[in-house]
């Protein structure tokens, strides 16, 4: 915030965002606290970004400008995850290893009842899964800001773009933009660079 608004302006905005975050947490629905992973999504991802979005929307009078700023903030929050993707790439983890890791990680990081994940193809040619219920979209609807969901989808895209060279990750639609599901397909990259 200081880089964008100056030291004093940045501090004032951080205080306003902290106050808004407290209001968001105070008004959270009980279903947003059903397990540790959902609490993490609320408190570490959705809550801070929603607070910034609300404060900046009021300040700028323009939700689009606020959404762009929050997208930049969220991208900075993603730095540790993107570093992990880089380490995985440098280690040369195989597609089979990444496929197993994904099957283990997704249900833990995106658990029911917050997310409904359906598994499809799961073989040496690819791993397909779809998300038909998204905690982010549901919670942002609760707070009256479903339009912010696409910012978090952008975070998914950042990860997709930095996937290890041993695989590709494709997605053709998201719930946030009206698709019936968020579809993910991981596929191995063959030696010819497919």
């Amino acid at each position: 915030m200081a880089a964008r608004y100056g030291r004093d302006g940045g501090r004032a905005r951080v205080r306003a965002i902290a106050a808004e975050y407290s209001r968001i947490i105070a008004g959270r629905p009980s279903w947003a606290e059903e397990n540790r992973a959902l609490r993490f999504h609320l408190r570490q991802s959705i809550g801070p970004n929603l607070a910034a979005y609300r404060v900046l929307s009021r300040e700028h009078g323009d939700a689009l400008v606020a959404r762009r700023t929050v997208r930049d903030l969220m991208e900075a929050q993603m730095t540790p995850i993107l570093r992990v993707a880089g380490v995985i790439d440098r280690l040369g983890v195989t597609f089979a290893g990444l496929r197993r890791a994904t099957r283990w990680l997704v249900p833990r990081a995106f658990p029911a009842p917050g997310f409904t994940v359906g598994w499809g193809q799961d073989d040496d040619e690819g791993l397909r899964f779809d998300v038909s219920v998204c905690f982010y979209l549901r919670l942002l609807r609760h707070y009256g800001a479903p339009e912010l969901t696409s910012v978090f989808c952008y975070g998914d895209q950042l990860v997709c773009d930095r996937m290890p060279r041993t695989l590709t990750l494709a997605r053709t639609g998201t719930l946030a933009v009206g698709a019936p599901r968020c579809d993910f397909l991981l596929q191995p990259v063959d030696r010819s660079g497919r």
Side-chain angles (χ1 to χ4, degrees):
M1 288 292 176
R4 186 168 290 219
Y5 298 104
R7 189 180 68 170
D8 293 338
R11 286 181 181 163
R13 283 167 184 84
V14 167
R15 283 191 300 275
I17 290 168
E20 187 65 35
Y21 176 81
S22 294
R23 286 189 287 278
I24 289 166
I25 296 302
R28 71 193 178 277
S30 60
W31 50 263
E33 296 272 331
E34 290 189 28
N35 64 47
R36 183 175 162 193
L38 297 182
R39 283 190 299 276
F40 176 85
H41 287 291
L42 167 62
R43 293 172 182 267
Q44 302 300 316
S45 186
I46 298 169
N49 287 298
L50 176 59
Y53 177 66
R54 284 180 170 179
V55 168
L56 296 172
S57 290
R58 286 191 299 262
E59 177 181 307
H60 294 291
D62 184 346
L64 184 58
V65 170
R67 207 164 41 241
R68 285 185 193 139
T69 303
V70 170
R71 187 176 116 161
D72 293 344
L73 293 171
M74 191 269 313
E75 188 169 344
Q77 287 176 323
M78 296 283 300
T79 300
I81 294 167
L82 299 176
R83 283 188 185 132
V84 169
V87 169
I88 290 169
D89 185 41
R90 285 191 298 280
L91 291 173
V93 177
T94 65
F95 176 73
L98 289 168
R99 193 175 108 216
R100 282 190 304 275
T102 301
R103 285 297 304 237
W104 179 86
L105 179 64
V106 167
R108 286 159 181 79
F110 306 98
F115 299 87
T116 300
V117 179
W119 295 92
Q121 177 183 359
D122 185 1
D123 56 32
D124 291 341
E125 299 299 314
L127 175 63
R128 180 181 304 277
F129 62 96
D130 298 332
V131 177
S132 58
V133 174
C134 175
F135 179 73
Y136 281 72
L137 182 57
R138 182 179 180 201
L139 191 58
L140 288 165
R141 281 180 178 152
H142 168 81
Y143 286 116
E147 70 278 7
L148 195 57
T149 309
S150 63
V151 170
F152 296 101
C153 297
Y154 171 71
D156 290 344
Q157 191 60 49
L158 288 174
V159 174
C160 294
D161 292 347
R162 288 168 180 83
M163 280 289 156
R165 289 172 282 188
T166 56
L167 67 92
T168 61
L169 177 60
R171 184 175 62 187
T172 62
T174 67
L175 294 163
V177 296
R181 66 190 184 288
C182 302
D183 61 330
F184 296 86
L185 174 61
L186 287 91
Q187 293 181 297
V189 174
D190 64 23
R191 296 195 193 284
S192 66
R194 178 184 68 147

